[in-house]
């Protein structure tokens, strides 16, 4: 299958001289679900901002949905790839959920009937249509996260990019988020410290360390490689840790 995202020898240096991405290359096929993991400062968020053309490469190239990332393609790339920010308060700024979810499709120039249809469809997909008339600042953390995802789904992107989607969620909101992310058939790229979520949602993992790719492969292999994770400042996900009582791994096959 031809790649929907192709990153080639990408470097990013911020204006203050911080070198955040150093010679990163990978490609992602349509429909893949990929976790981007790494310690704080590894370059995950910087990488995601490139995938939605919020940042431009210092050198190297990115192709997103067949479009080369450069300033002239920013609008077209954002129609193909949508970013769910780490903090929902950065995403939700309108007086009602309805107007927030309608914002993107309206900006795309759709007529009001189509906008209404998109809003209904996106809020239904995240299971929160009942929040339509609520002000976003009165929602719970889990509701805000779901509505943030709806503001991106309403633009019908092919590629969904999420930065730390489970940050601040309680266990039941987190569980709901995992089933939502697992149910979507978009190409999904999820940066997260929540390695159990990554194990549940992603088939593949790109492990970053100091702005570089330290490993890229099946989630089930990388997320069970304790020495590799520890070298990169991470710990095994709980599901891959041995049970303190009997020593069995909680994701090992059970008999009986
Ligand atoms: N706007 C910025 N200006 C300068 N340096 C930045 C900026 N944003 C992030 N950085 C630096 O870039 C590196 C990568 O950061 P980031 O992509 O946020 O990592 P992560 O998401 O993995 O924690 C860090 O050293 C961080 O301090
Ligand atoms: Mg980050």
């Amino acid at each position: 299958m031809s790649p929907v995202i192709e990153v080639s020898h990408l470097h990013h240096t911020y204006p203050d001289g911080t070198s955040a991405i150093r010679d990163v290359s990978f490609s992602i096929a349509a429909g893949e679900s990929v976790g981007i993991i790494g310690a704080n400062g590894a370059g995950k968020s910087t990488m995601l901002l490139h995938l939605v053309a919020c940042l431009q490469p210092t050198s190297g190239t990115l192709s997103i949905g067949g479009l080369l990332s450069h300033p002239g393609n920013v609008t077209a790339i954002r129609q193909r790839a949508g970013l769910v920010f780490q903090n929902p308060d950065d995403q939700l700024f309108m007086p009602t959920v309805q107007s927030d979810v309608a914002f993107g499709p309206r900006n795309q120039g759709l007529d009001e009937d189509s906008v209404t249809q998109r809003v209904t469809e996106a809020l239904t997909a995240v299971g929160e249509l009942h929040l339509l008339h609520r002000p976003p600042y009165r929602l719970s953390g889990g509701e805000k996260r779901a509505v943030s995802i709806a503001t991106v789904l309403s633009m019908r992107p092919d590629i969904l990019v999420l930065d730390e989607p489970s940050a601040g969620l309680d266990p039941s909101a987190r569980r709901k988020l995992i089933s939502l992310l697992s149910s979507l058939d978009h190409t999904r790229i999820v940066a997260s410290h929540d390695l159990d979520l990554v194990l549940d949602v992603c088939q593949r993992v790109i492990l970053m360390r100091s702005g570089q790719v330290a490993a890229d492969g099946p989630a089930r292999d990388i997320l069970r490689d304790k020495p590799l994770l520890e070298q990169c400042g991470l710990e095994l996900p709980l599901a891959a840790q041995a049970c303190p009582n009997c020593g069995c791994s909680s994701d090992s096959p059970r008999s009986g």
Side-chain angles (χ1 to χ4, degrees), residues 14 16 18 20 39-46:
Y14 281 105
D16 69 357
T18 305
N40 285 334
K44 305 179 296 296
S45 296
T46 306

Side-chain angles (χ1 to χ4, degrees), residues 29-47:
E32 262 196 292
S33 178
V34 180
I36 298 196
I37 63 170
N40 285 334
K44 305 179 296 296
S45 296
T46 306
M47 193 62 243

Side-chain angles (χ1 to χ4, degrees), residues 207-230:
L207 170 59
M208 295 190 68
R209 179 178 48 196
S210 308
Q212 294 182 305
V213 174
D216 179 351
R220 294 209 140 252
D221 295 343
I222 291 179
L223 294 175
R224 284 192 180 130
D225 189 336
K226 192 172 180 214
L228 174 66
L229 293 175
E230 285 180 356

Side-chain angles (χ1 to χ4, degrees), residues 63-177:
S63 157
I64 300 136
L67 295 165
L68 211 55
S69 180
H70 67 73
N73 275 342
V74 169
T75 309
I77 288 173
R78 300 242 178 99
Q79 287 179 353
R80 289 165 171 73
L83 173 66
V84 179
F85 289 100
Q86 178 167 355
N87 181 357
D89 293 330
D90 292 335
Q91 199 122 25
L92 307 174
F93 52 88
M94 300 292 277
T96 64
V97 166
Q98 182 178 36
S99 45
D100 255 325
V101 182
F103 186 84
R106 261 192 202 124
N107 245 3
Q108 289 175 331
L110 297 184
D111 62 65
E112 275 311 299
D113 282 352
S114 308
V115 170
T116 305
Q117 191 192 333
R118 293 280 190 99
V119 170
T120 306
E121 177 188 284
L123 282 171
T124 304
V126 301
E128 304 288 5
L129 187 57
H130 59 285
L131 299 176
L132 195 65
H133 302 296
R134 298 273 298 277
Y137 59 87
R138 294 242 172 91
L139 303 180
S140 73
E143 289 168 339
K144 279 187 186 176
R145 181 76 57 189
V147 171
S148 294
I149 295 172
T151 64
V152 173
L153 291 181
S154 65
M155 291 186 278
R156 289 200 188 149
D158 298 323
I159 305 165
L160 208 53
V161 179
L162 302 105
D163 200 357
E164 305 284 357
S166 62
L169 297 190
D170 67 23
S172 104
R174 176 181 169 280
R175 189 42 56 196
K176 222 171 134 187
L177 173 76

Side-chain angles (χ1 to χ4, degrees), residues 10 19 49 76-77 115 124-125 129 162 184 210 222 235 241 243 249:
L10 179 70
S19 171
L49 291 169
I77 288 173
V115 170
T124 304
L129 187 57
L162 302 105
L184 299 171
S210 308
I222 291 179
E235 290 179 347
Q241 289 181 20
C243 157
S249 166

